[in-house]
Amino acid sequence: FLWLVFFCRARKHLPFDQYDWGPIRRRLLTHSQYWLQIPIGGASMDSSFPRASNPRTRSCPSRLKAFIGSSSSYEDGIDFVAKVAKLLALNIGINPPGTRKLDSVSEGTADILRMLHFVTPYFNPSNIGTWTFTLGAFLHYFSYEVCHRIGVAASVHTLRRLHPNLVEKLLNVEPYLRHVDIPPAELVVLMDALLPLCQQALYSKNGHVGRAGEAALVYLSQIDPVHVTPPFLDFAIQALDISAVNLAHQAPSALSALTRLVQPSLRRQPSILLSRLPELLRLSLAGVDSNDQNKTIRTLILYRNLTSWLPIGSICSSSCMSLEENGKESGCTHLGKDLMRSISAVVTSDEYLSAMKNLPETSVLSQPNMLTDGEDDVTELLIEEANSAMADWVLGFLDRVYDLLRAAGEREKSGKTASGVASRHSSSDVQHARNFSRILKECLWQVFSSMDEEIYSQALQSVTRFLAEETLPSAAKDAAALCQAVCAVRFSDNSRVNKGAQLLFPVLTEDLAHQSNKTLTYRIRCLAGAVRRAGKAVYFHRNDITRALSIALASRDKNVLKMGCKLLRHTLASQSDSYPVITSYAPRSSSVDHSFVLGKSAELIGNEVDWLSPDGEQVDFVYELLQTHVMRPIADLKKNSGDETMQGEINALEETTGNEKLSISSVNGSNLRRCLRIIRYALRGGSGILLDMYDDSNHEPNDETRQGISMIPHEEAVRFLLNASSEESRDGLNKMRKQICAFVVLMMSIIASETMDSETDLGGTASARQNYLARVSSDSKICKEVSEISMLLLTRRGAQFRCQEGKTIWNAQKQLVCDFVISAQTDHMSAIMHRAGLFGNPQFVLYKDGEDGGKTIPRRLLVTRVHLFYESIQRNSSFETPRKLRRLQNKKPNKTSEGKLFNSSTDTNREFTKIDKIFDTSNFSSMDGYEGIMDGLFSLSCHTNTQVRAAGIGVVDYGVTRFGWLVRLRVPRLLAALTLKDDDMKGIYGIPSCFQLSKQLDSQGKRRRMAEVMKGVCSLLSVNRAVKELMGSEKSRLSFVQTLCETDAVISQLPTEEMQKMFHYYQSGKYFSKRTSFYH
């Protein structure tokens, strides 16, 4: 294997006319039986017959693997096949030095064709064995190398046209490029041999081989889509026909192949797909089947891809602005002009077409292409027919979606346990259900974005009728996705009417007060989806939405309450965040040399994304919602805590026990849980508009502490929105984040005060306490809600959730539509031009736009990528804002600790009566609030409940990615707790005193509370940032080693059943691996 790596690297620097690759090629092909694991021959009874043994298996030395980058035996095997395919593709069209080409194909190509003929029987779909996967991998890699070589050859021709002197110097450095062109006749013969193998691999029983065959087919179709795509489109359409019973098992594979062949066929010759489109749409509708989720997913992906390249309705041309006109200002660049022409030069040459005509009639490539694009009348006729077919297909597709929703059962959900196992089946079922919902949502979004206004009106009437007539609680999430696509704003102008919202909002909000809980849950969930991208229409219907929120959030049914929280979240996000309008995702057609073109890559130049941003009225509405459903319930907690009956019970209990002050809260637990849950959902939707207030009463806006610290991009955008709102809204929103931080710190202080000491025995009054008086710290739901709110305040600066997962999904979808020939061409061109200093500017990075920039993506993916970049700016602000707050705090002339909010000695009984103090934000800074939250999280990490402790540690681990410098001051406190040297440190940074807890026994005479705190302290020290601080200096390392040496005396004081756990915490933490690596 190591020799293969060396040969692959040396191939660029050895001229073909000076070095003969024949011996190496023949050696590899001779042992193809071995490395392809093909079963040939067997043991013979005749011992006199000589037996040839297989080559000895040798593993690559581990010290040499660093040079080749492999890390496992599986990767070694796959990389071996890839290197073999690369060397074999190098030999196409090559004869030994000093010989002349006598036959129709070269010696290298002839050897490869013999090997392909040799392995053809093993590609049968029913032929399953150890060789199956290896053959599929070889087909994939070899087809890719052929595709890549075509792209590199096109790159050399383009560079020779643009920079002839550069190419001459390049050929001297990499002489193999002189013979990089594949002879057209040999390319035809190779594709004729490879395409039948792709067809058989596509329908293999092995799923991995099927995907490999699909990828190989895409590589070859991108070389010559005019001759490759028609037969395979016909094969796939034939497999979709319900009358072909013997081909029914091929339908899922056929749908996947159709998805990948849409763009190549449209780009080179639209008539190939347009002539087959009516039949394709008619037959594929049966693929949306509630009884076959796999086939349904593939059909939805096909429709998503089809509508990404073809609009539904009138297909109009949109001419893009040239790079010379607007290239520098737009931040885009091209590598050349009309790069597609260089690629198609090979397959349009006379030699290639002549070789294509000489193929036998049984060849896949010899099937006649009946239609051509030379006649404009034929193309226009096909476009009109396609428009009519897609208009009829939309209504049928929506009927199929309705059937899916009707057949939907109860959704799979992750369990509440720490393992996350699904509540009914398995966690894999949860992932399948989530993936299905995501694909259905993306498909519906793209279908509605591609409609023209006439077809959209028809589809809107159909959806409105469906929602008005049927209630499907089990399909609420998918129905909400349908409502979101229908009600999404279609124009960036707020003055234009949103027809979808105008029809659906009255239907979904009609007579909600008299509906059953199931109907109310379904309607509110659909309404939450409808408002998500509805723009200014939400403000116009604010009375109906506000009434729906009041009904849902006041309900005692937990499902209705959850749906109300979702409606609040999506309403806040819709009215406070910016997003592209849905019509920005619609595909664009273009004209090249005065000819109509479909399937061309989307471009930003001249086709900017239309965004919808909230105005002042919408910001005022956001402030009104936050005041009504967040700040007012917080203030109402003071009234609930002053309940005379509850307070009287507390006083009576104090007299009975003889305690002057019991740490028991009289606040209503149910109301507190409801309040915290609503706050969490409100932050998920509206945290992006809640900025940190830098200018408090101690510092004026023009203070010198602000000099040299500029606003980050996200802050500038939000400030611009706030300036358009009223003064009351602007001031209230500027203070709200600090007020919520103060409330969360107050809750953490109450929880910490109740868990700071060991449990005490209340004697006979214990049952009374359990029945009447609830401690806040004993309610795990309240504690976990506080933890989740803390995570949002520390790490969230926008409404989007899991934006990093969106980038991963985008990369996967981009890979499915990538044109690998153009990609290879532009990658090679940019690498050569970078080396020559002819491309790029160190001062800024330009976006490679369109086909001439190496992209082959539809408009949908382009707009999605721009939106993901916007979300990444919001996410980056969660890192930049804490650093800015730290710089501002360090610039203060008089830094004191008076702003500390966390207090573990809080009087729980009286604290809720002082809750109105949190509305005064002049006594503390934003940084004080976040530091108080971090102290509270440290306290929750030492909680008595295991789940609360795990939640607190998880939030700390995530929160220190933004506020990592806060860990440095807390590491000595954690080490002191491990050695019981914290007698006078009770409550500092939220951690109880382990020394004092060692003197306290519970009702069973054990130190359980001490064990719980020690577990939390060990977990906090195992956080990556804490480990970094421990190993950061010699002094800290010495302190850490001394601490570990004193653990035996501490563990001996713990309960017997806790000793083994503590040994695990001490010796198996993350810091243990760091410690051993340090010693070694």
Side-chain angles (χ1 to χ4, degrees), residues 12-38:
K12 296 182 178 181
H13 308 285
L14 294 176
F16 291 156
D17 54 356
Q18 297 180 13
Y19 184 80
D20 184 13
W21 288 93
I24 297 177
R25 179 182 67 248
R26 287 188 290 271
R27 177 74 174 176
L28 290 173
L29 295 177
T30 300
H31 292 295
S32 61
Q33 171 193 352
Y34 167 72
W35 53 266
L36 288 176
Q37 304 182 26
I38 298 177

PDB file of all heavy atoms in Angstrom, residues 12-38:
ATOM      1  N   LYS A  12       2.903  12.458 -11.322  1.00  0.00           N
ATOM      2  CA  LYS A  12       2.855  13.800 -11.886  1.00  0.00           C
ATOM      3  C   LYS A  12       4.189  14.236 -12.478  1.00  0.00           C
ATOM      4  O   LYS A  12       4.229  15.126 -13.314  1.00  0.00           O
ATOM      5  CB  LYS A  12       2.436  14.807 -10.804  1.00  0.00           C
ATOM      6  CG  LYS A  12       1.040  14.604 -10.255  1.00  0.00           C
ATOM      7  CD  LYS A  12       0.707  15.679  -9.234  1.00  0.00           C
ATOM      8  CE  LYS A  12      -0.707  15.508  -8.708  1.00  0.00           C
ATOM      9  NZ  LYS A  12      -1.059  16.564  -7.716  1.00  0.00           N
ATOM     10  N   HIS A  13       5.271  13.622 -12.052  1.00  0.00           N
ATOM     11  CA  HIS A  13       6.595  14.121 -12.398  1.00  0.00           C
ATOM     12  C   HIS A  13       7.353  13.204 -13.348  1.00  0.00           C
ATOM     13  O   HIS A  13       8.533  13.451 -13.617  1.00  0.00           O
ATOM     14  CB  HIS A  13       7.410  14.311 -11.117  1.00  0.00           C
ATOM     15  CG  HIS A  13       6.707  15.126 -10.082  1.00  0.00           C
ATOM     16  ND1 HIS A  13       6.568  16.498 -10.170  1.00  0.00           N
ATOM     17  CD2 HIS A  13       6.056  14.759  -8.933  1.00  0.00           C
ATOM     18  CE1 HIS A  13       5.890  16.946  -9.131  1.00  0.00           C
ATOM     19  NE2 HIS A  13       5.564  15.906  -8.358  1.00  0.00           N
ATOM     20  N   LEU A  14       6.700  12.148 -13.841  1.00  0.00           N
ATOM     21  CA  LEU A  14       7.354  11.228 -14.765  1.00  0.00           C
ATOM     22  C   LEU A  14       6.705  11.340 -16.135  1.00  0.00           C
ATOM     23  O   LEU A  14       5.509  11.050 -16.287  1.00  0.00           O
ATOM     24  CB  LEU A  14       7.241   9.785 -14.260  1.00  0.00           C
ATOM     25  CG  LEU A  14       7.982   9.475 -12.950  1.00  0.00           C
ATOM     26  CD1 LEU A  14       7.702   8.060 -12.510  1.00  0.00           C
ATOM     27  CD2 LEU A  14       9.486   9.687 -13.118  1.00  0.00           C
ATOM     28  N   PRO A  15       7.448  11.746 -17.183  1.00  0.00           N
ATOM     29  CA  PRO A  15       6.874  11.806 -18.533  1.00  0.00           C
ATOM     30  C   PRO A  15       6.512  10.409 -19.035  1.00  0.00           C
ATOM     31  O   PRO A  15       7.231   9.431 -18.795  1.00  0.00           O
ATOM     32  CB  PRO A  15       7.992  12.444 -19.357  1.00  0.00           C
ATOM     33  CG  PRO A  15       8.927  13.059 -18.368  1.00  0.00           C
ATOM     34  CD  PRO A  15       8.826  12.237 -17.130  1.00  0.00           C
ATOM     35  N   PHE A  16       5.388  10.304 -19.723  1.00  0.00           N
ATOM     36  CA  PHE A  16       4.944   9.012 -20.223  1.00  0.00           C
ATOM     37  C   PHE A  16       5.866   8.469 -21.315  1.00  0.00           C
ATOM     38  O   PHE A  16       5.915   7.261 -21.529  1.00  0.00           O
ATOM     39  CB  PHE A  16       3.514   9.123 -20.773  1.00  0.00           C
ATOM     40  CG  PHE A  16       2.490   9.346 -19.687  1.00  0.00           C
ATOM     41  CD1 PHE A  16       1.280   9.955 -19.959  1.00  0.00           C
ATOM     42  CD2 PHE A  16       2.739   8.936 -18.387  1.00  0.00           C
ATOM     43  CE1 PHE A  16       0.349  10.150 -18.951  1.00  0.00           C
ATOM     44  CE2 PHE A  16       1.820   9.134 -17.377  1.00  0.00           C
ATOM     45  CZ  PHE A  16       0.618   9.752 -17.668  1.00  0.00           C
ATOM     46  N   ASP A  17       6.560   9.350 -22.029  1.00  0.00           N
ATOM     47  CA  ASP A  17       7.450   8.887 -23.081  1.00  0.00           C
ATOM     48  C   ASP A  17       8.821   8.477 -22.557  1.00  0.00           C
ATOM     49  O   ASP A  17       9.698   8.112 -23.334  1.00  0.00           O
ATOM     50  CB  ASP A  17       7.617   9.987 -24.140  1.00  0.00           C
ATOM     51  CG  ASP A  17       8.077  11.301 -23.526  1.00  0.00           C
ATOM     52  OD1 ASP A  17       8.183  11.367 -22.283  1.00  0.00           O
ATOM     53  OD2 ASP A  17       8.305  12.255 -24.299  1.00  0.00           O
ATOM     54  N   GLN A  18       9.030   8.530 -21.229  1.00  0.00           N
ATOM     55  CA  GLN A  18      10.305   8.136 -20.656  1.00  0.00           C
ATOM     56  C   GLN A  18      10.170   7.016 -19.633  1.00  0.00           C
ATOM     57  O   GLN A  18      11.161   6.381 -19.277  1.00  0.00           O
ATOM     58  CB  GLN A  18      10.981   9.341 -19.982  1.00  0.00           C
ATOM     59  CG  GLN A  18      11.323  10.467 -20.937  1.00  0.00           C
ATOM     60  CD  GLN A  18      11.979  11.639 -20.229  1.00  0.00           C
ATOM     61  OE1 GLN A  18      12.394  11.521 -19.067  1.00  0.00           O
ATOM     62  NE2 GLN A  18      12.096  12.769 -20.926  1.00  0.00           N
ATOM     63  N   TYR A  19       8.975   6.794 -19.140  1.00  0.00           N
ATOM     64  CA  TYR A  19       8.779   5.757 -18.125  1.00  0.00           C
ATOM     65  C   TYR A  19       7.616   4.866 -18.540  1.00  0.00           C
ATOM     66  O   TYR A  19       6.548   5.351 -18.932  1.00  0.00           O
ATOM     67  CB  TYR A  19       8.497   6.374 -16.756  1.00  0.00           C
ATOM     68  CG  TYR A  19       8.376   5.353 -15.643  1.00  0.00           C
ATOM     69  CD1 TYR A  19       9.524   4.806 -15.071  1.00  0.00           C
ATOM     70  CD2 TYR A  19       7.139   4.923 -15.196  1.00  0.00           C
ATOM     71  CE1 TYR A  19       9.426   3.868 -14.055  1.00  0.00           C
ATOM     72  CE2 TYR A  19       7.038   3.985 -14.183  1.00  0.00           C
ATOM     73  CZ  TYR A  19       8.181   3.467 -13.613  1.00  0.00           C
ATOM     74  OH  TYR A  19       8.073   2.534 -12.609  1.00  0.00           O
ATOM     75  N   ASP A  20       7.831   3.566 -18.445  1.00  0.00           N
ATOM     76  CA  ASP A  20       6.814   2.584 -18.826  1.00  0.00           C
ATOM     77  C   ASP A  20       6.052   2.127 -17.576  1.00  0.00           C
ATOM     78  O   ASP A  20       6.620   1.489 -16.687  1.00  0.00           O
ATOM     79  CB  ASP A  20       7.490   1.391 -19.508  1.00  0.00           C
ATOM     80  CG  ASP A  20       6.469   0.382 -20.018  1.00  0.00           C
ATOM     81  OD1 ASP A  20       5.276   0.730 -20.061  1.00  0.00           O
ATOM     82  OD2 ASP A  20       6.868  -0.743 -20.388  1.00  0.00           O
ATOM     83  N   TRP A  21       4.777   2.494 -17.538  1.00  0.00           N
ATOM     84  CA  TRP A  21       3.916   2.082 -16.433  1.00  0.00           C
ATOM     85  C   TRP A  21       3.330   0.689 -16.649  1.00  0.00           C
ATOM     86  O   TRP A  21       2.589   0.199 -15.795  1.00  0.00           O
ATOM     87  CB  TRP A  21       2.775   3.071 -16.259  1.00  0.00           C
ATOM     88  CG  TRP A  21       3.200   4.395 -15.697  1.00  0.00           C
ATOM     89  CD1 TRP A  21       3.554   5.499 -16.390  1.00  0.00           C
ATOM     90  CD2 TRP A  21       3.332   4.726 -14.314  1.00  0.00           C
ATOM     91  NE1 TRP A  21       3.892   6.526 -15.546  1.00  0.00           N
ATOM     92  CE2 TRP A  21       3.769   6.082 -14.250  1.00  0.00           C
ATOM     93  CE3 TRP A  21       3.127   4.038 -13.130  1.00  0.00           C
ATOM     94  CZ2 TRP A  21       4.003   6.724 -13.051  1.00  0.00           C
ATOM     95  CZ3 TRP A  21       3.348   4.689 -11.928  1.00  0.00           C
ATOM     96  CH2 TRP A  21       3.786   6.016 -11.883  1.00  0.00           C
ATOM     97  N   GLY A  22       3.650   0.043 -17.753  1.00  0.00           N
ATOM     98  CA  GLY A  22       3.065  -1.268 -18.060  1.00  0.00           C
ATOM     99  C   GLY A  22       3.339  -2.330 -17.015  1.00  0.00           C
ATOM    100  O   GLY A  22       2.406  -3.041 -16.595  1.00  0.00           O
ATOM    101  N   PRO A  23       4.568  -2.525 -16.549  1.00  0.00           N
ATOM    102  CA  PRO A  23       4.800  -3.574 -15.542  1.00  0.00           C
ATOM    103  C   PRO A  23       3.993  -3.382 -14.264  1.00  0.00           C
ATOM    104  O   PRO A  23       3.454  -4.332 -13.714  1.00  0.00           O
ATOM    105  CB  PRO A  23       6.311  -3.457 -15.284  1.00  0.00           C
ATOM    106  CG  PRO A  23       6.871  -2.879 -16.534  1.00  0.00           C
ATOM    107  CD  PRO A  23       5.819  -1.935 -17.033  1.00  0.00           C
ATOM    108  N   ILE A  24       3.916  -2.146 -13.797  1.00  0.00           N
ATOM    109  CA  ILE A  24       3.145  -1.897 -12.579  1.00  0.00           C
ATOM    110  C   ILE A  24       1.660  -2.162 -12.834  1.00  0.00           C
ATOM    111  O   ILE A  24       0.969  -2.757 -12.005  1.00  0.00           O
ATOM    112  CB  ILE A  24       3.363  -0.451 -12.102  1.00  0.00           C
ATOM    113  CG1 ILE A  24       4.828  -0.229 -11.742  1.00  0.00           C
ATOM    114  CG2 ILE A  24       2.464  -0.123 -10.924  1.00  0.00           C
ATOM    115  CD1 ILE A  24       5.152   1.187 -11.339  1.00  0.00           C
ATOM    116  N   ARG A  25       1.170  -1.712 -13.987  1.00  0.00           N
ATOM    117  CA  ARG A  25      -0.242  -1.925 -14.312  1.00  0.00           C
ATOM    118  C   ARG A  25      -0.558  -3.410 -14.399  1.00  0.00           C
ATOM    119  O   ARG A  25      -1.560  -3.888 -13.845  1.00  0.00           O
ATOM    120  CB  ARG A  25      -0.552  -1.236 -15.642  1.00  0.00           C
ATOM    121  CG  ARG A  25      -1.998  -1.415 -16.095  1.00  0.00           C
ATOM    122  CD  ARG A  25      -2.252  -0.761 -17.430  1.00  0.00           C
ATOM    123  NE  ARG A  25      -1.531  -1.402 -18.509  1.00  0.00           N
ATOM    124  CZ  ARG A  25      -0.527  -0.864 -19.182  1.00  0.00           C
ATOM    125  NH1 ARG A  25      -0.099   0.347 -18.883  1.00  0.00           N
ATOM    126  NH2 ARG A  25       0.081  -1.520 -20.164  1.00  0.00           N
ATOM    127  N   ARG A  26       0.282  -4.174 -15.104  1.00  0.00           N
ATOM    128  CA  ARG A  26       0.023  -5.605 -15.251  1.00  0.00           C
ATOM    129  C   ARG A  26       0.150  -6.338 -13.917  1.00  0.00           C
ATOM    130  O   ARG A  26      -0.570  -7.309 -13.662  1.00  0.00           O
ATOM    131  CB  ARG A  26       0.989  -6.195 -16.277  1.00  0.00           C
ATOM    132  CG  ARG A  26       0.651  -5.792 -17.722  1.00  0.00           C
ATOM    133  CD  ARG A  26       1.496  -6.538 -18.726  1.00  0.00           C
ATOM    134  NE  ARG A  26       2.895  -6.099 -18.685  1.00  0.00           N
ATOM    135  CZ  ARG A  26       3.387  -5.095 -19.400  1.00  0.00           C
ATOM    136  NH1 ARG A  26       2.587  -4.444 -20.234  1.00  0.00           N
ATOM    137  NH2 ARG A  26       4.655  -4.765 -19.306  1.00  0.00           N
ATOM    138  N   ARG A  27       1.050  -5.865 -13.067  1.00  0.00           N
ATOM    139  CA  ARG A  27       1.177  -6.482 -11.743  1.00  0.00           C
ATOM    140  C   ARG A  27      -0.101  -6.272 -10.931  1.00  0.00           C
ATOM    141  O   ARG A  27      -0.599  -7.203 -10.271  1.00  0.00           O
ATOM    142  CB  ARG A  27       2.372  -5.851 -11.012  1.00  0.00           C
ATOM    143  CG  ARG A  27       2.583  -6.330  -9.602  1.00  0.00           C
ATOM    144  CD  ARG A  27       3.154  -7.720  -9.558  1.00  0.00           C
ATOM    145  NE  ARG A  27       3.485  -8.120  -8.200  1.00  0.00           N
ATOM    146  CZ  ARG A  27       3.937  -9.327  -7.875  1.00  0.00           C
ATOM    147  NH1 ARG A  27       4.094 -10.244  -8.824  1.00  0.00           N
ATOM    148  NH2 ARG A  27       4.220  -9.630  -6.621  1.00  0.00           N
ATOM    149  N   LEU A  28      -0.629  -5.074 -10.967  1.00  0.00           N
ATOM    150  CA  LEU A  28      -1.863  -4.800 -10.241  1.00  0.00           C
ATOM    151  C   LEU A  28      -3.036  -5.600 -10.794  1.00  0.00           C
ATOM    152  O   LEU A  28      -3.844  -6.155 -10.040  1.00  0.00           O
ATOM    153  CB  LEU A  28      -2.180  -3.307 -10.294  1.00  0.00           C
ATOM    154  CG  LEU A  28      -1.256  -2.375  -9.500  1.00  0.00           C
ATOM    155  CD1 LEU A  28      -1.604  -0.923  -9.793  1.00  0.00           C
ATOM    156  CD2 LEU A  28      -1.366  -2.647  -8.016  1.00  0.00           C
ATOM    157  N   LEU A  29      -3.150  -5.671 -12.105  1.00  0.00           N
ATOM    158  CA  LEU A  29      -4.271  -6.392 -12.707  1.00  0.00           C
ATOM    159  C   LEU A  29      -4.139  -7.893 -12.511  1.00  0.00           C
ATOM    160  O   LEU A  29      -5.144  -8.606 -12.399  1.00  0.00           O
ATOM    161  CB  LEU A  29      -4.358  -6.061 -14.198  1.00  0.00           C
ATOM    162  CG  LEU A  29      -4.705  -4.595 -14.519  1.00  0.00           C
ATOM    163  CD1 LEU A  29      -4.700  -4.372 -16.024  1.00  0.00           C
ATOM    164  CD2 LEU A  29      -6.057  -4.222 -13.938  1.00  0.00           C
ATOM    165  N   THR A  30      -2.905  -8.402 -12.468  1.00  0.00           N
ATOM    166  CA  THR A  30      -2.711  -9.837 -12.235  1.00  0.00           C
ATOM    167  C   THR A  30      -3.228 -10.246 -10.865  1.00  0.00           C
ATOM    168  O   THR A  30      -3.818 -11.323 -10.697  1.00  0.00           O
ATOM    169  CB  THR A  30      -1.215 -10.186 -12.354  1.00  0.00           C
ATOM    170  OG1 THR A  30      -0.759  -9.849 -13.672  1.00  0.00           O
ATOM    171  CG2 THR A  30      -0.981 -11.673 -12.111  1.00  0.00           C
ATOM    172  N   HIS A  31      -3.036  -9.374  -9.885  1.00  0.00           N
ATOM    173  CA  HIS A  31      -3.482  -9.677  -8.518  1.00  0.00           C
ATOM    174  C   HIS A  31      -4.838  -9.059  -8.211  1.00  0.00           C
ATOM    175  O   HIS A  31      -5.189  -8.889  -7.043  1.00  0.00           O
ATOM    176  CB  HIS A  31      -2.460  -9.160  -7.511  1.00  0.00           C
ATOM    177  CG  HIS A  31      -1.159  -9.899  -7.547  1.00  0.00           C
ATOM    178  ND1 HIS A  31      -1.034 -11.224  -7.217  1.00  0.00           N
ATOM    179  CD2 HIS A  31       0.086  -9.488  -7.922  1.00  0.00           C
ATOM    180  CE1 HIS A  31       0.219 -11.608  -7.346  1.00  0.00           C
ATOM    181  NE2 HIS A  31       0.927 -10.575  -7.781  1.00  0.00           N
ATOM    182  N   SER A  32      -5.593  -8.703  -9.240  1.00  0.00           N
ATOM    183  CA  SER A  32      -6.918  -8.130  -8.988  1.00  0.00           C
ATOM    184  C   SER A  32      -7.831  -9.121  -8.292  1.00  0.00           C
ATOM    185  O   SER A  32      -8.721  -8.728  -7.534  1.00  0.00           O
ATOM    186  CB  SER A  32      -7.549  -7.672 -10.305  1.00  0.00           C
ATOM    187  OG  SER A  32      -7.717  -8.769 -11.184  1.00  0.00           O
ATOM    188  N   GLN A  33      -7.632 -10.430  -8.544  1.00  0.00           N
ATOM    189  CA  GLN A  33      -8.430 -11.431  -7.851  1.00  0.00           C
ATOM    190  C   GLN A  33      -8.244 -11.332  -6.346  1.00  0.00           C
ATOM    191  O   GLN A  33      -9.187 -11.498  -5.569  1.00  0.00           O
ATOM    192  CB  GLN A  33      -8.041 -12.833  -8.327  1.00  0.00           C
ATOM    193  CG  GLN A  33      -8.671 -13.959  -7.503  1.00  0.00           C
ATOM    194  CD  GLN A  33      -8.028 -15.296  -7.777  1.00  0.00           C
ATOM    195  OE1 GLN A  33      -7.213 -15.401  -8.697  1.00  0.00           O
ATOM    196  NE2 GLN A  33      -8.374 -16.309  -7.011  1.00  0.00           N
ATOM    197  N   TYR A  34      -7.026 -10.973  -5.934  1.00  0.00           N
ATOM    198  CA  TYR A  34      -6.728 -10.894  -4.498  1.00  0.00           C
ATOM    199  C   TYR A  34      -7.303  -9.628  -3.884  1.00  0.00           C
ATOM    200  O   TYR A  34      -8.025  -9.690  -2.881  1.00  0.00           O
ATOM    201  CB  TYR A  34      -5.214 -10.960  -4.302  1.00  0.00           C
ATOM    202  CG  TYR A  34      -4.775 -10.571  -2.919  1.00  0.00           C
ATOM    203  CD1 TYR A  34      -5.007 -11.413  -1.831  1.00  0.00           C
ATOM    204  CD2 TYR A  34      -4.125  -9.360  -2.698  1.00  0.00           C
ATOM    205  CE1 TYR A  34      -4.603 -11.050  -0.557  1.00  0.00           C
ATOM    206  CE2 TYR A  34      -3.719  -8.994  -1.427  1.00  0.00           C
ATOM    207  CZ  TYR A  34      -3.958  -9.841  -0.359  1.00  0.00           C
ATOM    208  OH  TYR A  34      -3.564  -9.485   0.895  1.00  0.00           O
ATOM    209  N   TRP A  35      -6.993  -8.459  -4.472  1.00  0.00           N
ATOM    210  CA  TRP A  35      -7.429  -7.236  -3.804  1.00  0.00           C
ATOM    211  C   TRP A  35      -8.894  -6.916  -4.031  1.00  0.00           C
ATOM    212  O   TRP A  35      -9.460  -6.081  -3.342  1.00  0.00           O
ATOM    213  CB  TRP A  35      -6.536  -6.043  -4.173  1.00  0.00           C
ATOM    214  CG  TRP A  35      -6.326  -5.760  -5.634  1.00  0.00           C
ATOM    215  CD1 TRP A  35      -5.301  -6.193  -6.408  1.00  0.00           C
ATOM    216  CD2 TRP A  35      -7.142  -4.951  -6.472  1.00  0.00           C
ATOM    217  NE1 TRP A  35      -5.418  -5.720  -7.693  1.00  0.00           N
ATOM    218  CE2 TRP A  35      -6.545  -4.938  -7.767  1.00  0.00           C
ATOM    219  CE3 TRP A  35      -8.311  -4.234  -6.289  1.00  0.00           C
ATOM    220  CZ2 TRP A  35      -7.076  -4.254  -8.841  1.00  0.00           C
ATOM    221  CZ3 TRP A  35      -8.845  -3.547  -7.351  1.00  0.00           C
ATOM    222  CH2 TRP A  35      -8.222  -3.565  -8.613  1.00  0.00           C
ATOM    223  N   LEU A  36      -9.533  -7.608  -5.008  1.00  0.00           N
ATOM    224  CA  LEU A  36     -10.981  -7.495  -5.153  1.00  0.00           C
ATOM    225  C   LEU A  36     -11.730  -8.613  -4.429  1.00  0.00           C
ATOM    226  O   LEU A  36     -12.960  -8.620  -4.414  1.00  0.00           O
ATOM    227  CB  LEU A  36     -11.372  -7.506  -6.627  1.00  0.00           C
ATOM    228  CG  LEU A  36     -11.030  -6.245  -7.428  1.00  0.00           C
ATOM    229  CD1 LEU A  36     -11.378  -6.441  -8.894  1.00  0.00           C
ATOM    230  CD2 LEU A  36     -11.767  -5.033  -6.883  1.00  0.00           C
ATOM    231  N   GLN A  37     -10.981  -9.578  -3.874  1.00  0.00           N
ATOM    232  CA  GLN A  37     -11.547 -10.697  -3.101  1.00  0.00           C
ATOM    233  C   GLN A  37     -12.544 -11.505  -3.925  1.00  0.00           C
ATOM    234  O   GLN A  37     -13.601 -11.910  -3.449  1.00  0.00           O
ATOM    235  CB  GLN A  37     -12.217 -10.185  -1.824  1.00  0.00           C
ATOM    236  CG  GLN A  37     -11.307  -9.372  -0.929  1.00  0.00           C
ATOM    237  CD  GLN A  37     -11.981  -8.922   0.344  1.00  0.00           C
ATOM    238  OE1 GLN A  37     -12.924  -9.561   0.808  1.00  0.00           O
ATOM    239  NE2 GLN A  37     -11.498  -7.836   0.920  1.00  0.00           N
ATOM    240  N   ILE A  38     -12.184 -11.754  -5.196  1.00  0.00           N
ATOM    241  CA  ILE A  38     -13.072 -12.505  -6.082  1.00  0.00           C
ATOM    242  C   ILE A  38     -12.809 -13.997  -5.897  1.00  0.00           C
ATOM    243  O   ILE A  38     -11.655 -14.439  -5.982  1.00  0.00           O
ATOM    244  CB  ILE A  38     -12.845 -12.101  -7.545  1.00  0.00           C
ATOM    245  CG1 ILE A  38     -13.184 -10.625  -7.719  1.00  0.00           C
ATOM    246  CG2 ILE A  38     -13.660 -12.954  -8.485  1.00  0.00           C
ATOM    247  CD1 ILE A  38     -12.938 -10.108  -9.101  1.00  0.00           C
TER     248      ILE A  38
END
